[in-house]
Amino acid sequence: MPGAPSYAQSKEQVLARLRRVEGQVRGLQRLVEADTYCIDVLTQISAASAALRSVAVALLDDHLRHCVRDAAGDDERGEAIVTEATAAINRLLRS
């Protein structure tokens, strides 16, 4: 059984970011109800998607820095590898 999640220290921050995304999605619903121009709705969908991806990358970064790094040992090279991996995954998610 896994222990506490790696984001335990930043749980309130993660929840706040997710609430902002939730607000963006509610805003999208209002745009559609108001028959807003399609391109404007698509732009806002893109913004909400980017915000959600940002939360995902932050959670993944926490996981790599706490869970993976602790399992592999805490040295400078390990920290650099984790940073590099997080950046690569962030690029992948943008595509």
Side-chain angles (χ1 to χ4, degrees):
M1 165 97 26
S6 58
Y7 59 84
Q9 297 293 325
S10 60
K11 183 176 181 177
E12 289 305 315
Q13 185 179 25
V14 171
L15 287 170
R17 292 175 76 179
L18 289 171
R19 286 185 194 106
R20 281 193 294 273
V21 173
E22 180 182 22
Q24 286 178 295
V25 172
R26 280 194 307 270
L28 283 165
Q29 292 170 341
R30 287 189 298 273
L31 290 176
V32 171
E33 287 171 353
D35 296 323
T36 302
Y37 183 60
C38 297
I39 298 302
D40 294 338
V41 176
L42 290 169
T43 300
Q44 292 307 309
I45 288 172
S46 178
S49 295
L52 200 51
R53 272 192 312 273
S54 176
V55 174
V57 169
L59 288 173
L60 178 60
D61 184 66
D62 276 348
H63 176 70
L64 290 170
R65 291 189 188 282
H66 296 99
C67 302
V68 175
R69 184 192 64 205
D70 291 348
D74 187 8
D75 61 359
E76 266 186 59
R77 187 166 185 269
E79 185 73 20
I81 291 169
V82 168
T83 299
E84 181 180 44
T86 299
I89 293 166
N90 190 20
R91 288 190 302 272
L92 177 67
L93 289 175
R94 284 190 210 155
S95 62

